[in-house]
Amino acid sequence: CKTSERKSRGGKAETRSRGAAKEKTLECGQIVWGLAFSAWPAAEDGDTDPACAVGLPCLVLATGLNDGQIKVWEVQTGHLLFSLLGHQDVVRDLSFAPNGSPILVSASRDKTLRVWDLSRDGRNGQGRQVQVLSGHVQWVYCCSISPDCSMLCSAAGEKSALLWSMRSYTLIRRLEGHQSSVVSCDFSPDSALLVTASYDACVIMWDPYTGEQLRTLRHVPLHSTLDSSSEIHTSSLRSVCFSPEGLYLATVADDRLLRIWALELRSPVAFAPMTNGLCCMYFPHGGFIATGTRDGHVQFWTAPRVLSSLKHLCRKALRTFLTTYQVLALPIPRKLKEFLTYRTF
């Protein structure tokens, strides 16, 4: 594996005007199925093999490959840091711990999830493997770690999603409610909500602590000028994600629409026409959504912006460190408990 840098193909004048722009390519040697970024801690004096310059944090990128390998790169230099071996089939998805710790979870077509600690020593990457999570009977192609790093959700070609403890690496519960394969999952920024999307054209909003279904969002066909053909396209979902402030959801479905949902409503607040959509992700600071397509494009969309209410900000701050059970045990009015646990919006 190597890194190549290519200067702009334009003339000298164009190169000067564009600041000698360069394009970097990480040559993985395999089909790349999954990607995950993380900020790498700054190196300290005495480190024998620092990933970054001493005292300077850097950005790392994990790539899940067709042969089951995971290659972890230092983005700025293109230096290959690790090759992680263990999976026996395609690595379909990757998720770094959101708290900045060097914990990486991988989901694979070998029907397992694997937890890696990149700070550990290990020959050929195998020593960095912390745990193998088995429980799925189909290919695993989605995994999401909660922002508080206490839980992990995984989705495979099954009607249920699995919720795991990131502390004990044991199965907490199966989330059963969908009528077809669950294909995508995401936690809210305060870890109080979990959403799952399925081929059954529904998004289910869960309380991950109790396993309770809080709300179902159904994708119904949109009859408008966006689609002038008479053919009725299925609404099988491909991807769902939370907005950074936790008040909106974005979904991509096979009916050629990107939808934006407000949590307190059961119908979308915005639509955008798109074809061959497979995945979506909010910009970390909000305001934009990126979507990936089968035909090799990433498209960017302007998303609704909202000024969070003081009520929501207080709820988000409290739920960041209080579980549902801890909220229910508080000596506060019932209506306030319902609001804090998202039973009312």
Side-chain angles (χ1 to χ4, degrees):
C1 294
K2 61 182 179 180
T3 301
S4 62
E5 293 185 355
R6 301 192 298 273
K7 292 188 176 181
S8 170
R9 293 186 178 89
K12 293 182 179 179
E14 180 186 359
T15 301
R16 283 195 299 269
S17 66
R18 298 175 65 178
K22 291 183 179 180
E23 182 180 288
K24 187 183 295 293
T25 302
L26 301 176
E27 301 289 350
C28 296
Q30 290 281 332
I31 297 173
V32 180
W33 286 87
L35 297 169
F37 281 105
S38 180
W40 194 266
E44 299 179 359
D45 290 326
D47 285 352
T48 58
D49 186 22
C52 315
V54 173
L56 296 176
C58 62
L59 189 66
V60 297
L61 173 66
T63 55
L65 306 183
N66 196 65
D67 63 356
Q69 284 192 76
I70 302 166
K71 293 187 181 294
V72 183
W73 310 81
E74 200 276 296
V75 175
Q76 183 64 30
T77 64
H79 176 59
L80 178 63
L81 301 177
F82 313 113
S83 290
L84 307 178
L85 306 176
H87 281 298
Q88 304 302 310
D89 208 334
V90 172
V91 177
R92 186 62 185 85
D93 197 19
L94 296 159
S95 182
F96 274 104
N99 62 0
S101 65
I103 298 297
L104 175 68
V105 175
S106 55
S108 171
R109 284 185 181 177
D110 66 10
K111 304 176 185 178
T112 70
L113 298 116
R114 294 173 190 257
V115 183
W116 311 84
D117 184 347
L118 302 186
S119 66
R120 293 173 52 170
D121 293 329
R123 181 174 299 178
N124 295 327
Q126 293 180 349
R128 294 186 171 90
Q129 182 172 287
V130 175
Q131 194 76 29
V132 178
L133 305 181
S134 301
H136 286 289
V137 296
Q138 300 290 339
W139 293 350
V140 189
Y141 41 72
C142 183
C143 59
S144 178
I145 303 176
S146 63
D148 65 2
C149 296
S150 67
M151 295 172 286
L152 167 71
C153 185
S154 58
E158 304 158 9
K159 295 181 181 179
S160 59
L162 300 189
L163 192 66
W164 309 83
S165 169
M166 282 295 288
R167 297 189 174 98
S168 62
Y169 300 120
T170 56
L171 181 64
I172 299 174
R173 65 172 53 88
R174 291 180 179 270
L175 300 173
E176 298 180 338
H178 284 290
Q179 303 304 309
S180 188
S181 299
V182 182
V183 295
S184 182
C185 56
D186 195 25
F187 285 93
S188 62
D190 57 5
S191 304
L193 295 173
L194 171 67
V195 288
T196 54
S198 167
Y199 287 158
D200 64 10
C202 290
V203 171
I204 296 181
M205 193 180 303
W206 310 81
D207 185 321
Y209 295 101
T210 65
E212 181 182 352
Q213 295 185 35
L214 302 180
R215 179 160 295 186
T216 299
L217 306 177
R218 302 184 186 279
H219 286 63
V220 296
L222 178 67
H223 301 288
S224 72
T225 56
L226 292 178
D227 186 2
S228 58
S229 68
S230 59
E231 181 184 356
I232 298 177
H233 293 269
T234 61
S235 297
S236 296
L237 279 157
R238 295 292 171 178
S239 184
V240 62
C241 65
F242 266 100
S243 63
E245 81 288 332
L247 288 174
Y248 288 103
L249 292 173
T251 59
V252 169
D254 282 349
D255 62 357
R256 298 185 288 184
L257 287 174
L258 166 68
R259 289 173 171 86
I260 309 298
W261 308 74
L263 286 196
E264 70 273 11
L265 302 177
R266 294 183 184 271
S267 58
V269 297
F271 298 89
M274 63 173 300
T275 57
N276 295 322
L278 280 179
C279 55
C280 60
M281 182 62 64
Y282 265 91
F283 179 62
H285 302 293
F288 300 96
I289 297 172
T291 56
T293 67
R294 289 183 184 87
D295 52 12
H297 295 102
V298 175
Q299 299 170 319
F300 295 88
W301 310 85
T302 301
R305 283 187 177 273
V306 62
L307 184 62
S308 298
S309 67
L310 183 58
K311 285 170 54 178
H312 175 67
L313 290 174
C314 290
R315 174 173 60 186
K316 184 178 174 182
L318 285 170
R319 292 310 309 272
T320 298
F321 63 89
L322 288 180
T323 68
T324 299
Y325 297 112
Q326 289 172 325
V327 170
L328 295 176
L330 293 174
I332 57 178
R334 179 178 59 85
K335 287 188 176 181
L336 188 52
K337 291 182 181 180
E338 291 175 349
F339 175 77
L340 290 175
T341 57
Y342 290 90
R343 269 62 179 176
T344 59
F345 291 90

